[in-house]
Amino acid sequence: MARKPKGGPATDPELLILASLADGPKHGYAIMIDVDVFAGVTLGPGTLYTAITRLVDKKLIAPVAGAGRQRPYRLTAKGAALLSDQLTEMRRVAAIGLTRLRPA
Amino acid sequence: MTITQRLVQALLRIYPPQWRNEYGAELSHLLLMRPLSVAAFVDVLWNGTRQRVRSLEPSTIAGLAAMVVILIGLVQNIVAPLPYARGVGTSLLQPSMMTLPTLVVAPMRSNLFALALIVCGRWTYLRGHGSSSPGIAAMRMSLIAGFPVMLAATLMLAGVLATAAIGPADIPTTFQQHGFTFTFYDKDHIVPSAWSVLVSPLFQLPLAWLWGTVGGRWGLNIARRRQVA
């Protein structure tokens, strides 16, 4: 399990859900477990579904017709593009920050 | 049905019906998959409330906020009316200096309230993508805000809420002394009729429509600029 981060952009529920769906569709519980494992962030059920609602409204993710009460969600093309942009930007900022932290 | 199932059903009721139809079954399933912790309970309670507020009309949210301000003024007047010198300019109900209406609800005539009506109109336009009328929404906001005044007038008509007037030389009485009494400030001790109190918020409606429409035009300009960008 990843070390639990205290805050910052890496704990944003929407970004974490997008990152979780990057390797394929998942339902709510699977997203929750996945985020806990790869980011060390425990998303509450209410927080998870508030974020899912917003992402569906923004058309960044979409429900996949699934059987039973567990409906999986998939990343849309728009969601994948946004995730890629945000992660690239985070990597760029992180690289600059880490370079500046290194002793001369 | 177990206690947890009942608790989850009650929790889901906090969410707006439209949201429940879309995601209710999934969230319920997720909550029942493992023991319901206090943290999960609070998380769902908080997020359900947020979804409920999000689903409300902008005019309802703004109207309720304004209503709280007016309610505070009303309660303050009944419980601890101010002395004449301080109360005459700040009282909730003030003479209008016009033939009609004879009284105005002071907070609803303020610049801040006009600004709130404009923002309500803008918000309504942008949220509804032009489908809702900003003027009507602002009127609705104004009506909700004025509800405590109309309720007080109804109580005056029913004889539940008494009325009194104090002049410059009078010392205001306390709630223990006067009970449920609304205090007017008038140097001649004239008490306006309950009917004039009842209709005072209604005379605000045309102005509310006007400010709401201004807000709607503002929203339209923003929408056009967004389209160009």
Side-chain angles (χ1 to χ4, degrees):
Chain A
M1 189 180 283
R3 201 174 59 157
K4 193 178 175 74
K6 285 177 182 162
T11 61
D12 173 39
E14 291 183 30
L15 185 73
L16 291 172
I17 294 169
L18 289 177
S20 174
L21 296 178
D23 66 348
K26 287 184 191 73
H27 54 71
Y29 186 69
I31 295 171
M32 229 163 103
I33 300 296
D34 187 40
V35 166
D36 200 3
V37 171
F38 82 77
V41 176
T42 311
L43 292 177
T47 305
L48 174 76
Y49 272 93
T50 296
I52 286 177
T53 308
R54 276 207 220 106
L55 292 169
V56 171
D57 287 350
K58 291 181 200 166
K59 296 184 172 49
L60 298 174
I61 64 171
V64 179
R69 299 165 84 186
Q70 294 264 56
R71 190 169 50 162
Y73 292 89
R74 66 170 175 81
L75 205 58
T76 62
K78 191 182 167 188
L82 184 94
L83 178 66
S84 173
D85 285 352
Q86 287 202 353
L87 295 181
T88 307
E89 182 61 16
M90 281 168 78
R91 186 165 60 186
R92 191 183 69 81
V93 173
I96 293 169
L98 288 169
T99 309
R100 288 180 184 176
L101 272 174
R102 273 188 215 125
Chain B
M1 192 184 273
T2 64
I3 293 172
T4 312
Q5 282 173 324
R6 281 186 188 170
L7 200 61
V8 167
Q9 271 201 345
L11 265 177
L12 286 174
R13 293 221 158 266
I14 298 164
Y15 286 85
Q18 221 177 352
W19 192 94
R20 262 200 323 263
N21 289 340
E22 189 67 29
Y23 303 100
E26 285 175 59
L27 181 57
S28 158
H29 186 74
L30 186 67
L31 290 169
L32 292 170
M33 279 177 88
R34 47 189 188 176
L36 186 63
S37 66
V38 176
F41 180 87
V42 172
D43 181 68
V44 175
L45 191 72
W46 167 244
N47 281 283
T49 311
R50 280 175 67 194
Q51 289 292 344
R52 178 68 77 168
V53 171
R54 258 187 92 192
S55 73
L56 290 175
E57 292 283 323
S59 56
T60 309
I61 299 169
L64 287 174
M67 189 172 94
V68 169
V69 174
I70 290 173
L71 200 60
I72 290 169
L74 188 70
V75 170
Q76 188 257 320
N77 182 293
I78 295 169
V79 175
L82 295 169
Y84 182 85
R86 284 173 62 203
V88 72
T90 58
S91 172
L92 182 68
L93 294 170
Q94 292 186 8
S96 72
M97 311 297 173
M98 288 188 292
T99 313
L100 272 174
T102 51
L103 282 174
V104 291
V105 185
M108 291 171 76
R109 278 296 171 110
S110 66
N111 292 338
L112 193 65
F113 191 73
L115 186 67
L117 290 167
I118 293 171
V119 171
C120 174
R122 172 192 178 274
W123 189 7
T124 302
Y125 184 89
L126 291 175
R127 202 189 218 194
H129 304 285
S131 61
S132 317
S133 164
I136 300 291
M139 281 170 79
R140 189 165 179 269
M141 175 192 158
S142 192
L143 209 58
I144 295 170
F147 178 74
V149 174
M150 290 189 278
L151 180 69
T154 311
L155 293 175
M156 285 174 195
L157 286 168
V160 179
L161 183 65
T163 50
I166 59 169
D170 301 321
I171 297 165
T173 50
T174 61
F175 183 72
Q176 283 84 1
Q177 292 166 311
H178 63 227
F180 284 99
T181 302
F182 187 88
T183 305
F184 290 96
Y185 297 87
D186 190 272
K187 61 180 183 344
D188 301 318
H189 294 88
I190 296 168
V191 176
S193 76
W195 287 106
S196 61
V197 176
L198 184 69
V199 298
S200 57
L202 302 177
F203 278 95
Q204 176 68 23
L205 295 180
L207 202 60
W209 180 85
L210 190 70
W211 288 129
T213 306
V214 169
R217 293 296 302 181
W218 180 19
L220 174 69
N221 284 337
I222 291 171
R224 276 184 186 157
R225 250 179 285 149
R226 278 182 190 167
Q227 266 182 349
V228 171

